[in-house]
Amino acid sequence: MEKTNVMRILTQNKIEYKAYEYNPDETVGENVAALIGRPSESTFKTLVTVANTKTNYVFVVPVDCSLDLKKAAKVVRVKSIEMIKQKDLLGLTGYVHGGCSPIGMKKKLHTVIHESATSFEKIAFSAGKRGCQVELAPVDLIKLVNAEVADIVVDN
């Protein structure tokens, strides 16, 4: 498996991780967990947003959950938040849709991880390219990206 920028950053920071590869053409969101043999509750997706203030924020939530835009806005103390346009993702983050990782973005963005991540020994998320995931301790991710932890998903 070819090392991604995310993997290089993890190695440089001496963070232990496990990498998974899968066929990106066979999947969307929740399917990723099954393809890498992980529970969907501990497999996360990275969502990039823009606030009414034009500031960008990153939210990391379980693949089987939806980001609650009102909760997200409240956590980062802005009036409103919306998903950025897909065409703007690469220029802002350096990542394509389906391969966005909270680690190694072009710009350091305020990152919020859903609180459920802390209840797992390991969580999986994109390794920075479609078809590639990394799994590591959530505490390592939180520390590395200086993330905030909060309840940011839609209640079921």
Side-chain angles (χ1 to χ4, degrees):
M1 175 187 318
E2 187 182 321
K3 266 197 173 190
T4 66
N5 225 18
V6 170
M7 293 175 201
R8 284 189 276 284
I9 291 167
L10 291 170
T11 301
Q12 286 167 358
N13 285 277
K14 296 177 176 48
I15 295 172
E16 198 174 302
Y17 70 91
K18 182 175 182 179
Y20 297 90
E21 215 170 11
Y22 59 91
N23 183 347
D25 298 331
E26 295 177 5
T27 186
V28 292
E30 300 89 76
N31 300 352
V32 171
L35 287 171
I36 65 171
R38 301 286 308 144
S40 57
E41 307 83 54
S42 65
T43 305
F44 286 69
K45 59 188 172 187
T46 305
L47 306 172
V48 183
T49 63
V50 62
N52 61 299
T53 59
K54 304 291 185 229
T55 304
N56 294 102
Y57 296 94
V58 176
F59 295 93
V60 181
V61 301
V63 292
D64 59 355
C65 293
S66 297
L67 178 65
D68 184 318
L69 295 174
K70 287 186 179 183
K71 285 182 184 178
K74 188 175 181 181
V75 167
V76 297
R77 296 167 289 291
V78 295
K79 185 177 176 184
S80 65
I81 254 179
E82 63 185 40
M83 298 302 297
I84 68 163
K85 291 177 178 40
Q86 194 171 322
K87 66 178 179 61
D88 297 334
L89 186 65
L90 181 62
L92 176 67
T93 66
Y95 293 124
V96 296
H97 181 71
C100 192
S101 178
I103 298 172
M105 290 192 179
K106 278 183 172 182
K107 293 180 180 175
K108 184 105 170 105
L109 301 176
H110 184 125
T111 301
V112 182
I113 300 173
H114 186 253
E115 62 190 8
S116 66
T118 60
S119 64
F120 299 103
E121 194 176 307
K122 305 271 186 194
I123 61 169
F125 53 91
S126 177
K129 78 173 193 183
R130 295 186 75 235
C132 200
Q133 297 269 308
V134 289
E135 177 187 71
L136 51 93
V139 67
D140 289 335
L141 173 61
I142 292 164
K143 187 176 173 185
L144 182 65
V145 300
N146 195 25
E148 193 173 345
V149 176
D151 174 17
I152 51 172
V153 299
V154 174
D155 293 326
N156 291 338

